[in-house]
Amino acid sequence: MKALVLEQQDGQTLASVKDITSEQLPEGNVTVDINWSSINYKDALAITGKGKIIRNFPMVPGIDFAGTVHSSDDPRFSPGQNVILTGWGVGETHWGGLAERARVNGDWLVSMPEGLNQRKAMIIGTAGLTAMLCVMALEEGGVLPESGEVLVTGASGGVGSTAVALLHKLGYQVSAVSGRQHNAEYLLSLGAKYVLERESFSEAAKPLEKQRWAGAVDVAGGELLAKVIAQMNYNGTVAACGLAGGYQLPTTVMPFILRNVRLQGVDSVMISTERRIEAWKRLANLLPENFYQLATSEITLKDVPATAENLLSGKVTGRVLVNIA
């Protein structure tokens, strides 16, 4: 079977498509024939070696996949069943989804929800699951459509694109922030009411600024997140899930203690299976059909290394689907 294999030589990460055997697959109680995977920001960091994502080589990257159960020692899964995997360290510490087959722990799998197929599931992928968890965090923080505008940063990327589409479907008024203004029409078509330039958030944040946002989904971190926090409405909630703009947060306690602002971290890697199932069901029901056309480009396994470089360079819009079959 074919797989994208990462190896390290003289401190450099090398990615190439190779033939592997079933005997080389790591331990697990369910073996899956993979048909679709995707490229996420974390995948791109791992494949290019620009992030310290992988410690042990060789490694097959790919933090998510959709496929069909080939064989199973887990009573919850049987041959021929359609399944999804996201997170759990797969593609980082355990061989992942950029291969024709994977062997994994059954606890890491979710059955395909009604209304989705394997291709659609990977158009959503880890990025879309994370976006749904962010939207759920806003809801649980008391942010309702009538509460006011909701901001989405990094809106041209996978998480941001899906968050815009989900929030619009749920009736929120969405403002999308992007550093790529040529994507404005794309974001408006997904449901954004306004598209804002990232440069308008470039000045260092004051402890408190004019209240603008009832809620926010942030993938950037760093100074941009600090700016957003300073602009939150009273009782606002920010769901933070990324660090594309930096891992530090140069903010103050002022928005939290004077405006009752909530900063909710969102992790999709180790989130419980019950929470995953709930999120996947909602994704299947909420995302409109045009999302799957608008937000997707499709590549094959051999295209992955170059695409990973492009993603980190800000040249990729929406989701990148990898056709494994």
Side-chain angles (χ1 to χ4, degrees):
M1 69 198 80
K2 295 195 180 300
L4 184 73
V5 179
L6 303 183
E7 296 172 297
Q8 203 163 51
Q9 190 175 67
D10 300 326
Q12 299 293 312
T13 300
L14 306 176
S16 58
V17 177
K18 294 191 172 186
D19 288 316
I20 61 171
T21 66
S22 290
E23 289 70 31
Q24 291 175 270
L25 295 175
E27 290 185 3
N29 58 358
V30 183
T31 302
V32 180
D33 291 323
I34 299 171
N35 294 309
W36 300 94
S37 186
S38 70
I39 304 294
N40 297 279
Y41 187 78
K42 187 183 285 186
D43 293 316
L45 289 173
I47 292 162
T48 60
K50 293 179 180 177
K52 301 298 181 185
I53 306 297
I54 295 170
R55 306 290 181 183
N56 298 310
F57 295 85
M59 177 61 61
V60 175
I63 64 173
D64 53 22
F65 64 74
T68 306
V69 174
H70 178 84
S71 60
S72 174
D73 294 326
D74 186 322
R76 295 170 294 180
F77 301 100
S78 55
Q81 186 174 351
N82 291 329
V83 292
I84 306 168
L85 184 143
T86 61
W88 298 114
V90 171
E92 300 175 64
T93 60
H94 187 101
W95 283 18
L98 291 170
E100 292 181 331
R101 188 172 290 176
R103 186 178 293 133
V104 297
N105 187 326
D107 289 340
W108 303 341
L109 295 170
V110 172
S111 292
M112 187 71 62
E114 188 175 344
L116 282 186
N117 56 36
Q118 292 182 24
R119 187 178 188 276
K120 285 183 175 181
M122 277 303 102
I123 292 173
I124 298 168
T126 294
L129 175 64
T130 304
M132 187 73 250
L133 293 170
C134 287
V135 172
M136 290 161 67
L138 296 187
E139 292 172 336
E140 289 157 7
V143 181
L144 305 173
E146 57 266 29
S147 300
E149 285 185 64
V150 174
L151 188 73
V152 177
T153 71
S156 295
V159 175
S161 294
T162 316
V164 169
L166 288 169
L167 288 163
H168 173 68
K169 179 70 173 181
L170 288 165
Y172 291 86
Q173 184 172 298
V174 184
S175 291
V177 181
S178 178
R180 292 173 273 170
Q181 280 304 294
H182 60 272
N183 283 334
E185 188 174 334
Y186 161 73
L187 293 168
L188 293 170
S189 67
L190 286 176
K193 186 167 185 180
Y194 304 107
V195 179
L196 309 176
E197 293 188 17
R198 188 168 58 205
E199 286 68 30
S200 63
F201 293 82
S202 61
E203 290 185 9
K206 300 172 184 175
L208 290 173
E209 300 193 3
K210 182 180 178 181
Q211 297 181 48
R212 298 181 68 184
W213 319 113
V217 174
D218 178 69
V219 304
E223 293 183 356
L224 200 159
L225 175 55
K227 190 83 167 177
V228 171
I229 291 170
Q231 295 178 354
M232 295 305 296
N233 291 357
Y234 193 89
N235 278 340
T237 294
V238 182
C241 65
L243 42 66
Y247 65 87
Q248 295 185 332
L249 184 55
T251 189
T252 73
V253 299
M254 302 289 272
F256 305 106
I257 65 173
L258 296 181
R259 291 184 179 166
N260 215 42
V261 169
R262 175 187 296 191
L263 176 60
Q264 176 64 57
V266 174
D267 166 62
S268 66
V269 177
M270 304 302 291
I271 199 79
S272 71
T273 298
E274 292 73 23
R275 186 81 163 168
R276 289 170 194 269
I277 290 171
E278 179 189 359
W280 276 110
K281 284 181 179 177
R282 293 194 67 188
L283 285 160
N285 290 327
L286 285 173
L287 285 173
E289 196 62 34
N290 73 330
F291 170 81
Y292 299 103
Q293 284 80 47
L294 287 169
T296 311
S297 56
E298 186 176 319
I299 63 172
T300 61
L301 209 51
K302 65 180 175 57
D303 304 318
V304 167
T307 303
E309 292 280 1
N310 288 337
L311 195 155
L312 294 184
S313 300
K315 298 175 182 175
V316 172
T317 297
R319 295 282 293 144
V320 178
L321 187 65
V322 184
N323 188 340
I324 304 290

